[in-house]
Every structure is written in C-alpha cells, then in structure tokens.
Amino acid sequence: MATIREISERTGVSIATVSKVLNEKHGVNAETRQLVMDAARELNYRPNLNARYLKSGRSQTLGIITEDLTVFNAPEIVDGIAAACDEAGYHYILGNLRFFKRYGNGPKDLEESTSLVHGVVDEMLSKQVDGIIYIGCHSHVVVSLSDHAEPQFVCAYCTSLDSSIPSILYDDQKAAFEATERLIRAGGRTIGMIAGPTDSSHSYNRTRGHQEALFAHKVPYNPSLTLVGDWGRDCGYTLGEQLIKSGATAIFAHNDLMATGVLDYCNANGIEVGKDILLIGFDNREISTVCRPQLSTVALPLFEIGQKAAHIMLDILSGKGLPAEHEIMLECSIIERESTLGTRRKS
Amino acid sequence: MATIREISERTGVSIATVSKVLNEKHGVNAETRQLVMDAARELNYRPNLNARYLKSGRSQTLGIITEDLTVFNAPEIVDGIAAACDEAGYHYILGNLRFFKRYGNGPKDLEESTSLVHGVVDEMLSKQVDGIIYIGCHSHVVVSLSDHAEPQFVCAYCTSLDSSIPSILYDDQKAAFEATERLIRAGGRTIGMIAGPTDSSHSYNRTRGHQEALFAHKVPYNPSLTLVGDWGRDCGYTLGEQLIKSGATAIFAHNDLMATGVLDYCNANGIEVGKDILLIGFDNREISTVCRPQLSTVALPLFEIGQKAAHIMLDILSGKGLPAEHEIMLECSIIERESTLGTRRKS
DNA sequence: TAGGATATGTTAAACGTTTTCTTTGATATC
DNA sequence: GATATCAAAGAAAACGTTTAACATATCCTA
C-alpha cells in the first residue's frame, strides 16, 4: 500500500509538504499541491489511519456499545449514531456485548457483566476513541464506568445515574399523556390501562402521564381500571378481559405485546376494536402493523436518540461542554391506526 | 495513559522485555514477568493498538459492511460474526452503508452506491483490516470490489459473482423442498404456491425445491397453482383467494408477508387456516409468531451465516486457503406452528 | 577448562504519520 | 546594495509499539 514517503519520492516533494497537502493545510502553492494530489491518485494512496491516530493521539472515532444488537431498538439507535458520525466526518466502532444470547433476559451476575463492559471499554480506549456512547437499559452496568476511565461517556436509551454522564431518553410521560388524550378525543369515556411491572421506570412515568391526561380532560380516575401486567401477550389477554368486563371502553397498554393480547381477547369474543373498544399500545413494533385491526401505538424516536447522543458527544468533544440538562428527553410520536378510530370528538 | 516505556522505567526492565511479557512470548523468566505484570496492573496499562497495528502491519480486525443495519436480517448476521470474532480473539469494525434511508428499497444509481461502498472499503483498508465481510443482497455492488483491493473478501447472505470471493448462503431450494414436504405430510393434496418475483434467485430456487418435493411425493404438478407475487401482503390476499378458489388446500408462500396476506383472506372468509387450508411462509419474521393462527415458516440461519462467514475468513487469513466450494449453503429449519397442523399422515 | 548450547535481556531500527522548527529564495524596503 | 519580510518547502523528532540482531550469563559436555 502506497505511503506518503512513496509520494514524496515520486514527486520529489518532501514528506512534510506531502502531509500538508493531504491534510488540506495551507502554505503550499497550487502547483505543488496538484503534483502531489496527482501522484496520490496514481499510487492509489490511502492514509494509514493507525499511524495518524498514533501520532496525533486522537482518532476522530466514537465507540458505540450495545447491550445486544439483535434487540429490536438497538440497530435503529446505532444507525442514528452512524448517520451523525458520517455527517460530521467522524468514525465509529461497535462493541456488542451480546447480553441476550449470554444471559437470556438481562445480566444476572453484576460482576460478570461489569467485567464484560470493562473489556469492551478497554479495547475502545486502546484504540484511542474520543468518546463512548452506551446503548442499553441496564444502567447499573454503566455506573461502574465512571470511575473507570478518562473518555467521555454518553448514555442513549438509558439513564446514567451519574450526573456527569449525559443521557438521551424519550419522554415516557408525555407520550403516555398524548396516548391517553388520543383515546379521550376518539370518544373513550371509561379508560383502562394495562401497565408494565411496578419496578420499571417506564411504567412509572407512563402511568403518571396517563393520570395527568385524565385529570387534564376531567375524566374521573378509577384505580380499579389500572392493572399491572408483565409485558407479555398473555397477560394482555386476561387483563384486557378484566378491564372490559369492568366497563372500560378504551385501553392504553404500556406496550404493543400486551395490547395485542387485548386484541386477541376482543377478536375471540366478537368485540370490535376501534369501535366497541379503543386500544393503543406503545413501542411501534412490527406487530402493531401486522395485527388486525392494526394497532395504534406510540413510536419511539430511536433514530433520533442515536443521532442526538452523537451530537451531544461531538459537542462535548469540541469543547462546547456538557448540555444544560443531564437528561435529555426526545418526543415520541403517536401513530394512529385502526384501533383508535372511534367517533372523533371535535378536538 | 500508561505506556510500555513507563513500565520499563518503573521496573528497570528493558522495553523489549516488557513487550515480550505483554505479548506472552517466552524467553523471559518468571520473576521478571511477574514484576512487569504487577507494574502493568498498577499503572493500569492499556496497549496502544494503533501503535501495535502500525508496527505489525496487521490489525487482527475484520471489517463488516452492512447494506443497512436496520433491515431485519442484518443485526443477527453481524451478531454471528461478532461472536466468532470474540471467540477467536479478533476485533471487528462495522461500516453501515445505510442504503435504506438513502435510497428506499435498493440503490438505484449504480455509480453512487458503488462509490459509497468504495468509501467504506477505503476506510477499512486505511485501518489495516485483514479482511472484509460484505452483508447484503445487491451483489452488483460487490462485483466492483474485487478489482479494487488487496484484502480478502467474503460475502454473507449474497452470492459474490466472483468465484474468488466465497459466499455464505442458505439453501433456498432445500428449504422449499422441506416446506412443501411438510404441507404434503400434513395432509395437503392440492398444493399451491405464491412465489416471489421472477427475477429473484430466491424465487427461482424456492420454486425448484417446491417442484422437486411434489415430484418426490408423486403429487401432480399443476402450473396454474403457481402464482407470482411481489413479496407484499396485499398480493398474498388476492393470490391466496385465487388459489383457494382454484381448489388449493395447501399453500407455500415465498415469504411471511405474503403468507400473512393469505391468512387475512382466510380469516375474513371463515376459512380455518391449519385445518381447512394449510399454509407455510418463509423467513420466520416476527409477524409469523404474532398473527393468528400462528404461521409455520422457514427460519433462516442468520446467526450461523455470520458465524460461518467469519470462520471462513479466519481460515483464509490463517493460510488454510479458500474453501472447496465457492458457495457455501447453510440449512434452514422448518418452524412448525398452527398453520400447518392439518391431519398428519404417517410420515 | 575450552567450547558450545541455552536462557534471558538489551539495543536500536523500524512502522507511517504529524508537526515544530529551520532553511531557502524571492520580493520589498530603506 | 544591505536588510527585513514573507511564502514555500524541507529536516528531523516524535507517537508507542514490535522485532531482528546482538550481548551476557549460566550451564552442559567432552
């Protein structure tokens, strides 16, 4: 592979000058520049980035750590980061922890998963990355990072617990507010909710948003219409049945899977979703477009989270400092499909 | 960040010896080794990989190019490659072309997409990768690679057209054979097929496998029961209707989407899928577990394709040469769900 | 006890860049 | 014509490794 020295020899221009041309620095006249560029093209020159990074100590590279690339939300976030990097002329390298295949649902053994993360972080530091973006939801794994190292960290999709590490999240509460509002506007009067497990911050915030919306629209809040599920489809079926039998005419489920369970119940019992009952899910997974009737839901700004995380990181690296807020919330969008058709009230 | 020199200074051992210890080479006695290792730990030493790669000219790194990371099959393949690399102590870097967001369905402009690929390849070569694995389905983009560069290429999920580039694929024909056989065994007598577009090699091979299975089981082949679709759900609906009205009692669809379309038609018309009609799809996408009744389908060995591609690459790099076959076929597996329950004949 | 082997260490030259400092030569100024 | 100014180009020292080639000490063999 051609080197800068070969260009120098062929053109008779010194190495230093060649370097200047290649880095588009000024202080070299047009003829010399052209001479060098022609030679570079002829020799099919490609800079040796390892040499460059070594010398300059920086790599213009962001590290991206995913807990598991095969989980539904990860690729889109990575894509967002990649897009931002491409645009900014930055590089990125990916480290995939492969949590899911290793541990099933989530890392059980804190020590093991921490050392896994440290391994990847070490490798990235060895490659002189300028910063690392962590994508995941097991924030306890991240905590241990802060004492670990010099580089800048940013969390995407999870909160960092450490206030010096910015995190980019989506706004559960607002999304839940809007989802519930949508049900109300579509004519829902008695509104039930199937929440996720109580220990989830997502459930907590979505529940708050839901309640706020009821309050804002003066819909009476009836605690017995809030049931707690386990994110699974089956519980959607049984809890949906329970809610409907309690008189609910609209249901907000904390994810698409549980919402699909409700759908199953309705389809099996001749209840027409979108008319007899209004239903909205959360996540905008493929299921929601594929079930019948199609499910209205909340779309997560995954790409945008990645993009924003990268932008924040690049800002920090360029010396603009940390963002004002430690947690940055991005807005979700409501995707309206058949399951919330209803009888629209004038907004 | 601590360097090898600092370790050398602190321990009084020469730089060369420190390097030997760190690289686990022999020719250094146990005491010295321990001394160095202790110092390395105390100083929190991390090798500078850029320096190492620069000096040694190799990077123990594989480049992975994806046409689009957000497309359903890519993450799983990448995961397979990553797993194989982890195991072999290799690193990987990812280059995501982002075709989908850039071009919608596929690259229209050959020139532009080619230059996109070249850009990523150049970057990887600049980082001294030992080989590049290309994941995608637009093989025409790959063709132009062979004349481009020195590094080793391997194609995953697509055929390479160039016989010096091994490609790892799954066996469409065999999978289609087995899918059809499954329909026959489940009691299907009049078997229809909804194929993909005629210009797709997938469609071609699946059609051949289908016909072979009919022949092997002495089921008469009726050309009017083979219809050509466009991969979309809607055509599944209309073509499914047509097949059923022509007397088909079992249908093999070339993908899950079209199969779901058939399902829609049946559900809308009181035809019980799995009993009145047998149905099998292809791809094992999330849809197939989520529709009702659940769809039997063909699962692609995506993880295995990635893994195999990496293994082949590592073999080549370690001097074991190219695999005997230019195209390596991995087997799909049939996933049996509700839509092919039928009345099982003795096998 | 000389003459190897063998084990352990060290010296120093690379790898391909970037970058500081210096040199060169031309032009302008007095 | 001597000197200051300035743009352009070059020389050389790094960056942190690896690795050949070499040096030394230890031990064995005859």
Side-chain angles (χ1 to χ4, degrees):
Chain A
M1 212 129 81
T3 72
I4 215 175
R5 147 170 283 124
E6 292 173 48
I7 298 180
S8 159
E9 279 164 7
R10 170 187 278 234
T11 57
V13 171
S14 80
I15 289 185
T17 305
V18 173
S19 175
K20 281 182 202 158
V21 173
L22 264 19
N23 289 297
E24 295 173 340
K25 303 221 163 139
H26 52 272
V28 30
N29 85 25
E31 285 171 48
T32 321
R33 153 160 289 134
Q34 196 55 53
L35 190 65
V36 169
M37 303 227 300
D38 289 347
R41 185 161 335 99
E42 282 165 31
L43 291 171
N44 194 20
Y45 170 77
R46 268 187 287 268
N48 181 320
L49 291 181
N50 294 316
R52 177 178 293 173
Y53 295 166
L54 169 61
K55 183 65 185 109
S56 62
R58 315 207 90 204
S59 64
Q60 302 267 96
T61 298
L62 259 36
I64 307 174
I65 299 182
T66 54
E67 289 182 351
D68 198 303
L69 191 62
T70 64
V71 160
F72 85 103
N73 46 24
E76 194 71 34
I77 298 177
V78 172
D79 202 50
I81 299 174
C85 285
D86 283 352
E87 203 175 335
Y90 250 70
H91 303 148
Y92 54 89
I93 58 181
L94 178 71
N96 185 19
L97 299 174
R98 311 192 51 249
F99 268 11
F100 192 78
K101 293 221 177 57
R102 281 190 224 260
Y103 304 121
N105 228 337
K108 301 291 180 280
D109 178 352
L110 178 58
E111 204 170 319
E112 190 187 343
S113 53
T114 302
S115 85
L116 205 57
V117 177
H118 278 198
V120 175
V121 170
D122 274 340
E123 184 184 323
M124 290 183 168
L125 290 175
S126 279
K127 292 182 178 173
Q128 320 289 110
V129 297
D130 298 336
I132 295 180
I133 299 178
Y134 186 93
I135 304 174
C137 52
H138 298 283
S139 40
H140 59 275
V141 173
V142 185
V143 185
S144 57
L145 291 174
S146 48
D147 57 313
H148 179 77
E150 316 94 283
Q152 196 49 238
F153 276 96
V154 167
C155 283
Y157 200 79
C158 58
T159 103
S160 67
L161 303 192
D162 176 337
S163 67
S164 70
I165 300 181
S167 44
I168 322 299
L169 304 157
Y170 58 88
D171 193 335
D172 271 307
Q173 191 169 337
K174 183 161 186 196
F177 183 98
E178 290 178 356
T180 304
E181 195 169 52
R182 199 59 62 111
L183 292 176
I184 298 170
R185 292 228 170 98
R189 318 306 266 101
T190 315
I191 300 187
M193 175 169 73
I194 303 178
T198 318
D199 63 354
S200 154
S201 65
H202 294 295
S203 305
Y204 176 73
N205 290 320
R206 289 173 198 177
T207 300
R208 289 191 51 184
H210 173 72
Q211 292 175 337
E212 272 182 14
L214 295 182
F215 183 76
H217 287 268
K218 304 199 170 54
V219 176
Y221 173 63
N222 176 351
S224 70
L225 289 178
T226 289
L227 303 178
V228 173
D230 61 5
W231 300 126
R233 183 162 179 163
D234 291 342
C235 82
Y237 191 102
T238 55
L239 299 180
E241 174 174 16
Q242 198 174 325
L243 285 175
I244 289 168
K245 288 186 172 159
S246 306
T249 59
I251 296 175
F252 166 42
H254 278 196
N255 72 358
D256 289 342
L257 231 52
M258 297 192 295
T260 316
V262 177
L263 218 57
D264 291 340
Y265 171 75
C266 293
N267 287 341
N269 292 276
I271 301 171
E272 200 171 332
V273 172
K275 204 167 142 232
D276 302 340
I277 195 123
L278 304 174
L279 180 63
I280 191 164
F282 209 108
D283 283 350
N284 192 33
R285 295 194 60 166
E286 195 179 29
I287 325 174
S288 61
T289 68
V290 153
C291 54
R292 291 292 179 267
Q294 291 189 28
L295 185 63
S296 297
T297 187
V298 176
L300 309 180
L302 297 173
F303 184 86
E304 291 78 9
I305 286 178
Q307 215 175 16
K308 185 74 178 178
H311 285 152
I312 301 258
M313 176 65 90
L314 293 173
D315 280 351
I316 296 173
L317 293 176
S318 71
K320 292 188 193 154
L322 294 170
E325 298 292 329
H326 151 232
E327 289 194 335
I328 291 167
M329 296 286 198
L330 264 36
E331 285 196 27
C332 300
S333 49
I334 308 287
I335 309 280
E336 193 147 22
R337 299 206 185 90
E338 300 163 355
S339 70
T340 52
L341 251 34
T343 51
R344 205 64 54 85
R345 289 202 285 179
K346 62 244 162 239
S347 117
Chain B
M1 211 129 81
T3 72
I4 216 176
R5 149 170 282 124
E6 290 173 51
I7 298 180
S8 159
E9 279 165 7
R10 169 187 278 235
T11 58
V13 170
S14 80
I15 288 186
T17 306
V18 173
S19 175
K20 279 186 202 161
V21 172
L22 264 19
N23 289 298
E24 294 172 341
K25 304 220 164 141
H26 53 273
V28 33
N29 90 21
E31 285 172 48
T32 320
R33 152 161 290 137
Q34 196 57 52
L35 190 65
V36 169
M37 304 226 301
D38 288 348
R41 186 161 334 99
E42 282 166 32
L43 291 170
N44 195 20
Y45 170 77
R46 268 187 286 270
N48 182 321
L49 291 180
N50 294 316
R52 177 177 294 173
Y53 296 165
L54 169 60
K55 181 60 187 129
S56 62
R58 315 207 90 203
S59 63
Q60 302 268 99
T61 298
L62 259 36
I64 307 173
I65 299 182
T66 55
E67 288 182 352
D68 198 303
L69 190 62
T70 64
V71 159
F72 85 104
N73 46 24
E76 194 70 35
I77 299 178
V78 173
D79 203 50
I81 299 174
C85 285
D86 283 352
E87 204 176 335
Y90 250 71
H91 302 148
Y92 53 90
I93 59 180
L94 178 72
N96 185 19
L97 299 174
R98 313 190 52 251
F99 268 10
F100 193 78
K101 293 221 178 58
R102 280 189 224 259
Y103 305 120
N105 228 337
K108 301 291 181 280
D109 179 351
L110 179 58
E111 205 170 319
E112 190 186 344
S113 53
T114 301
S115 87
L116 205 58
V117 177
H118 279 199
V120 174
V121 170
D122 274 340
E123 184 183 323
M124 291 184 166
L125 290 175
S126 279
K127 292 182 177 172
Q128 322 288 111
V129 297
D130 299 335
I132 296 180
I133 299 178
Y134 186 94
I135 304 174
C137 52
H138 299 283
S139 40
H140 61 277
V141 173
V142 185
V143 186
S144 56
L145 291 175
S146 48
D147 57 313
H148 180 76
E150 314 94 286
Q152 195 49 240
F153 276 96
V154 168
C155 282
Y157 199 79
C158 56
T159 102
S160 66
L161 303 193
D162 175 338
S163 68
S164 70
I165 300 180
S167 45
I168 323 298
L169 304 157
Y170 57 88
D171 193 334
D172 271 306
Q173 191 170 337
K174 183 160 187 197
F177 183 98
E178 290 177 357
T180 303
E181 193 169 54
R182 198 59 63 108
L183 292 176
I184 297 171
R185 292 228 169 98
R189 316 307 266 102
T190 314
I191 300 187
M193 176 169 74
I194 302 180
T198 318
D199 63 354
S200 155
S201 65
H202 294 296
S203 304
Y204 175 74
N205 290 319
R206 289 174 198 176
T207 300
R208 289 191 53 185
H210 173 73
Q211 292 174 337
E212 273 181 12
L214 295 182
F215 182 76
H217 287 269
K218 305 199 168 53
V219 176
Y221 173 63
N222 175 352
S224 70
L225 289 178
T226 289
L227 302 179
V228 173
D230 61 5
W231 300 125
R233 185 163 178 164
D234 290 342
C235 82
Y237 191 101
T238 54
L239 299 180
E241 175 175 15
Q242 196 174 326
L243 285 175
I244 289 169
K245 287 188 172 158
S246 308
T249 60
I251 295 175
F252 167 42
H254 279 196
N255 73 357
D256 288 343
L257 232 52
M258 297 193 294
T260 315
V262 178
L263 217 58
D264 290 340
Y265 170 75
C266 293
N267 287 341
N269 291 277
I271 301 171
E272 199 170 334
V273 172
K275 207 171 140 226
D276 302 338
I277 198 130
L278 305 174
L279 179 63
I280 191 162
F282 210 108
D283 282 350
N284 192 33
R285 296 195 59 165
E286 195 180 29
I287 325 175
S288 61
T289 68
V290 152
C291 54
R292 291 293 181 268
Q294 292 190 30
L295 185 64
S296 297
T297 187
V298 176
L300 309 180
L302 296 174
F303 183 87
E304 291 77 9
I305 285 178
Q307 216 175 16
K308 186 73 178 179
H311 285 152
I312 300 257
M313 176 65 90
L314 293 174
D315 280 352
I316 295 173
L317 293 176
S318 72
K320 291 187 193 155
L322 294 171
E325 298 291 329
H326 152 232
E327 288 194 337
I328 292 168
M329 296 286 199
L330 265 35
E331 285 195 26
C332 300
S333 48
I334 307 287
I335 310 278
E336 193 146 23
R337 299 206 184 90
E338 299 163 356
S339 71
T340 52
L341 249 34
T343 49
R344 206 64 54 85
R345 289 203 283 182
K346 63 240 162 243
S347 121

